[in-house]
Amino acid sequence: MDKDKSWYHGGKNYWQGKSSTINGMMGGYSKIAKTDMSTSRRFLLKTIQTCSKETQFGHALDCGAGIGRVTKGLLLPLFEIVDLVDQNGEFLSTAKAKLSPLTNDKHRLGEMYSCGLQDFDPQPKKYDVIWCQWVLTHLTDDDLCSFLLRCKSSLRRNGIIFIKENVSRDDEPEVDAADCSVARTEHTYLQLFKKSGLIIIKQQYQGNFPRRLLPVRMYALVEN
């Protein structure tokens, strides 16, 4: 088994051992879920209102969706259709069961893709918003760049890619061998965005999280 396959295999095994609950999805920090969601909603709406007023609330994609926490709290109330992608099929089954009763004619679930992002190839020109949270840390740099290029091609006119991820406290990446993830430096993210042909239209830190947690940075990206 080569290095990359071993990395992804380890991450998949880690999440297979987690419960299909909010606490399971958030590593035992379910208490920050409300703060996380409210900040994400403000960031998304303010980005569209101030930086990309032509962006439509049509079709969104939740990457690393898990049991649908972000879809439920952020995307489904705002968008007409939300697709979910996660490598864990059990999580997606839980998401469908929990989210289906919340849908209606104006806000509904679309496709559910059981696939790792390193292999996921979204349909071209399909999405107005692609939301990636606490999942890109599991990709290698090369696979992240390739994934962002595919996401860029999947955006509709005036579409935006939103990224919300842990970042390193220092000038070096922080690797977590337990779940096979890496908290990149902000500089590394900037390099990867540039390499992928994306530019930042808005960014900010997540506030009001416990100090013992890694910093969390939010980026809104569009095609250069």
Side-chain angles (χ1 to χ4, degrees), residues 50-159:
T50 61
C51 304
S52 187
K53 293 182 180 179
E54 300 303 314
T55 299
Q56 301 298 303
F57 290 90
H59 208 148
L61 173 66
D62 184 356
C63 296
I67 63 170
R69 183 184 71 90
V70 171
T71 293
K72 178 182 178 180
L74 175 65
L75 300 176
L76 192 59
L78 295 175
F79 292 85
E80 295 174 12
I81 306 171
V82 183
D83 292 352
L84 290 77
V85 56
D86 194 280
Q87 67 178 347
N88 190 304
E90 182 180 334
F91 291 165
L92 290 177
S93 294
T94 299
K96 186 174 182 179
K98 289 181 176 293
L99 295 171
S100 293
L102 305 178
T103 61
N104 53 49
D105 291 341
K106 295 183 178 180
H107 304 280
R108 60 186 176 87
L109 297 177
E111 301 294 330
M112 292 200 174
Y113 303 99
S114 182
C115 181
L117 297 187
Q118 69 273 14
D119 299 315
F120 182 60
D121 191 6
Q123 180 180 324
K125 301 186 183 304
K126 184 176 184 180
Y127 297 110
D128 298 295
V129 160
I130 297 175
W131 186 275
C132 307
Q133 181 170 351
W134 289 329
V135 63
L136 302 184
T137 53
H138 293 290
L139 298 182
T140 65
D141 284 357
D142 286 345
D143 282 342
L144 174 53
C145 188
S146 296
F147 173 68
L148 290 175
L149 285 168
R150 296 194 298 274
C151 285
K152 184 176 67 172
S153 297
S154 188
L155 290 176
R156 290 176 173 171
R157 183 178 177 84
N158 301 308

Side-chain angles (χ1 to χ4, degrees), residues 163-200:
I163 290 175
K164 186 171 185 177
E165 293 290 350
N166 295 339
V167 293
S168 175
R169 301 181 183 92
D170 305 308
D171 294 330
E172 297 292 333
E174 297 187 48
V175 178
D176 187 336
D179 66 356
C180 294
S181 69
V182 56
R184 296 176 171 87
T185 65
E186 293 184 52
H187 178 67
T188 297
Y189 272 118
L190 296 181
Q191 289 181 314
L192 291 171
F193 297 159
K194 183 177 181 181
K195 188 176 180 181
S196 304
L198 297 165
I199 58 173
I200 300 170

